[in-house]
Amino acid sequence: MVKKVIRWSGGIEGLVNVAGFPISSKTRAYWEVPFEKVNSLMFRQVFEVDTLGTIDTIQLVLPTMKRQRRGKIVNLVSTPAVNGHDKGYPFTAAKG
């Protein structure tokens, strides 16, 4: 997708990362279980989207931005990442 945008537009001026792991009936427990019950799969799934997804997209656009000698990257985080939260440990860790 990034290559298509670059070919179509001739470059890339900015990237806004707003990665977010979806909360559904299957993942609701990620917010509700106490820390000692959070398993490594929960952390891995959230990190895959929230952290590695952000890193992956930056790595896709950065070579073009460097070649152009311009471009902006903005990474947005959620409130729990900034203020902490007494639940949702995988989300807080992945965005913080």
Side-chain angles (χ1 to χ4, degrees), residues 58-71:
I58 290 170
Q59 289 179 332
L60 288 170
V61 302
L62 198 55
T64 299
M65 288 181 171
K66 283 182 164 183
R67 224 176 4 265
Q68 298 173 160
R69 301 189 65 170
R70 70 179 185 281

Side-chain angles (χ1 to χ4, degrees), residues 17-82:
N17 278 308
V18 197
F21 189 82
I23 298 189
S24 67
S25 59
K26 293 180 182 181
T27 61
R28 170 84 33 217
Y30 292 31
W31 274 102
E32 298 170 352
V33 297
F35 183 77
E36 62 273 13
K37 302 279 186 186
V38 177
N39 63 49
S40 61
L41 177 62
M42 292 174 169
F43 275 104
R44 281 190 178 92
Q45 288 177 329
V46 176
F47 266 79
E48 181 74 30
V49 173
D50 289 357
T51 305
L52 297 178
T54 297
I55 291 167
D56 290 345
T57 56
I58 290 170
Q59 289 179 332
L60 288 170
V61 302
L62 198 55
T64 299
M65 288 181 171
K66 283 182 164 183
R67 224 176 4 265
Q68 298 173 160
R69 301 189 65 170
R70 70 179 185 281
K72 303 285 186 204
I73 298 173
V74 177
N75 296 315
L76 300 177
V77 298
S78 58
T79 304
V82 177

